[in-house]
């Protein structure tokens, strides 16, 4: 070590510093995906929240779906609510939209004072309007009492009725595809094309060719999944068992089929989410992963709340 000259030593330090700076810059630009809620179905559970994920690019938050607890999950994930900029709803089912209005409203109480654009199927506009009407007492009180900017003018709603380009800004290009989740029509999957990676969220769907097209060569596909052998145990707990079982089997995708779709699309990583059932101890992590991996040669990740991918 003694033989290293002072000049060489300083050179090494300078190079290390430059590398750190480059790494920090890359990290700033790295588009992050955090799973906020990975359980399927609206029933509140101890182990997992309902559907929601956030994509963060250049410190701008794009939230996809607003299941129960999404604002708190963002807090757990360390994502400032004031960075909320866009919300995308895949379809109008309560495990995907129960906290749509709450997210905007609570972000506003946390200091959000900038524009929020929301995107999703009808009746998104009516839901937004009625939500603010329903909560006008609190909103008006906070405006007059706490000096907050009015919330209503901040929120710009865009109803989507068909697949295709949705929006683009400096960070991402977003496209939607119609997926197959009857009787909820329209239901969408979304693709986010960022400068460093592409991320696709399937939404709830039966096996869909449109998802294969939407996810073509994507880096990450987050697909909703069910584990069919466990559905009987799941619906056994409720009085409407027969109808619920039929609905789940017809409108969701098995983990095995999700693997098949990921393979057909040629994605690099498949993330299993919106797990149905979400909390059956007899369905182990290995069972989920093996089912998907049996049809897919890429990487399979079992979704968990607050997992960053
Ligand atoms: Zn659904």
């Amino acid at each position: 070590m003694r033989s290293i000259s002072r000049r060489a030593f300083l050179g090494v330090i300078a190079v290390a510093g430059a590398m750190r700076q480059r790494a920090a810059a890359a990290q700033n630009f790295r588009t992050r995906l955090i799973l906020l809620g990975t359980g399927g179905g609206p029933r509140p559970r101890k182990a997992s929240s309902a559907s929601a994920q956030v994509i963060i690019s250049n410190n701008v938050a794009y939230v996809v779906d607003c299941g129960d607890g999404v604002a708190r999950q963002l807090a757990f994930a360390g994502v400032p609510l004031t960075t909320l900029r866009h919300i995308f709803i895949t379809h109008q089912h309560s495990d995907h939209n129960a906290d749509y209005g709450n997210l905007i409203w609570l972000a506003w109480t946390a200091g959000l004072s900038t524009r929020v654009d929301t995107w999703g199927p009808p009746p998104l506009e009516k839901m937004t309007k009625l939500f603010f009407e329903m909560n006008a007492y609190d909103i008006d009180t906070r405006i007059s009492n706490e000096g907050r900017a009015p919330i209503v003018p901040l929120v710009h709603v865009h109803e989507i009725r068909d697949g295709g380009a949705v929006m683009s800004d400096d960070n991402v290009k977003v496209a939607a595809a119609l997926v197959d989740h009857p009787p909820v029509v329209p239901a969408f999957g979304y693709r986010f094309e960022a400068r460093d990676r592409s991320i696709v969220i399937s939404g709830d769907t039966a096996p869909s060719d449109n998802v294969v097209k939407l996810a073509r060569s994507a880096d990450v596909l987050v697909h909703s999944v069910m584990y069919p052998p466990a559905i009987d145990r799941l619906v056994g707990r409720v009085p409407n068992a027969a109808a619920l079982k039929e609905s789940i089997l017809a409108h969701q995708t098995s983990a095995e089929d999700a693997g098949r779709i990921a393979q057909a699309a040629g994605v690099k990583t498949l993330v299993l989410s919106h797990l149905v059932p979400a909390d059956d101890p007899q369905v182990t992590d290995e069972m989920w992963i093996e089912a998907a991996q049996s049809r897919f040669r890429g990487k399979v990740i079992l979704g968990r709340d607050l997992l960053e991918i």
Side-chain angles (χ1 to χ4, degrees):
M1 288 298 285
R2 264 185 211 151
S3 63
I4 294 179
S5 72
R6 182 178 156 76
R7 203 168 148 192
F9 181 67
L10 290 175
V12 168
I13 289 191
V15 169
M19 281 170 69
R20 262 200 310 279
Q21 266 173 14
R22 267 203 300 278
Q27 196 160 16
N28 256 347
F29 276 105
R30 185 172 180 269
T31 302
R32 303 170 65 198
L33 165 65
I34 304 173
L35 308 178
L36 299 170
T38 55
R43 176 177 53 84
R45 291 165 299 265
K46 286 183 188 171
S48 59
S49 288
S51 273
Q53 35 270 307
V54 64
I55 291 166
I56 303 163
S57 186
N58 200 19
N59 292 320
V60 177
Y62 305 77
V63 171
V64 185
D65 279 338
C66 295
D68 173 35
V70 60
R72 190 152 190 256
Q73 289 298 92
L74 283 164
F76 276 127
V79 179
L81 288 171
T82 48
T83 61
L84 176 67
R85 179 63 186 84
H86 291 275
I87 298 174
F88 301 84
I89 300 294
T90 59
H91 66 291
Q92 303 296 7
H93 249 163
S94 54
D95 49 337
H96 298 255
N97 69 12
D99 274 0
Y100 160 69
N102 285 339
L103 174 59
I104 304 168
W105 186 27
L106 300 176
W108 179 71
T109 66
L112 178 82
S113 59
T114 45
R115 177 175 172 137
V116 176
D117 285 77
T118 73
W119 313 81
L124 195 64
E125 202 148 351
K126 185 178 176 189
M127 290 164 63
T128 312
K129 182 172 167 285
L130 292 180
F131 181 87
F132 288 136
E133 259 177 62
M134 178 175 80
N135 294 294
Y137 180 86
D138 173 88
I139 290 168
D140 293 346
T141 303
R142 288 185 194 280
I143 291 169
S144 59
N145 193 41
E146 299 173 5
R148 291 180 194 277
I151 187 171
V152 173
L154 300 179
V155 182
H156 298 256
V157 183
H158 312 263
E159 290 190 344
I160 308 175
R161 290 176 170 79
D162 234 320
V166 173
M167 57 80 65
S168 66
D169 61 16
D170 291 344
N171 306 312
V172 292
K173 274 198 188 83
V174 183
L178 282 165
V179 297
D180 193 15
H181 191 50
V184 182
V185 179
F188 293 106
Y190 292 107
R191 179 177 180 127
F192 290 76
E193 203 69 51
R195 69 188 83 186
D196 58 334
R197 63 200 301 219
S198 46
I199 297 166
V200 176
I201 313 285
S202 75
D204 281 12
T205 181
S208 162
D209 288 341
N210 279 358
V211 173
V212 174
K213 285 181 208 147
L214 185 72
R216 183 76 63 207
S217 304
D219 293 301
V220 180
L221 168 62
V222 179
H223 205 296
S224 63
V225 286
M226 63 172 168
Y227 197 81
I231 301 301
D232 276 329
R233 280 198 298 278
L234 175 70
V235 301
R237 303 178 207 155
V238 298
N240 55 330
L244 185 59
K245 179 181 177 182
E246 198 183 330
S247 167
I248 291 171
L249 291 178
H251 312 140
Q252 301 289 350
T253 299
S254 69
E256 206 177 300
D257 278 339
R260 210 189 311 268
I261 286 160
Q263 185 65 33
V267 306
K268 292 196 182 83
T269 300
L270 169 64
V271 180
L272 309 180
S273 194
H274 191 277
L275 307 176
V276 178
D279 51 3
D280 183 338
Q282 293 183 53
V283 186
T284 64
D285 293 8
E286 292 72 30
M287 287 158 80
W288 282 111
I289 291 170
E290 273 166 25
Q293 199 80 76
S294 69
R295 304 289 168 176
F296 178 49
R297 285 195 289 277
K299 182 177 178 187
V300 177
I301 295 175
L302 179 62
R304 289 293 174 218
D305 286 19
L306 304 177
L307 184 67
E308 178 164 351
I309 291 150

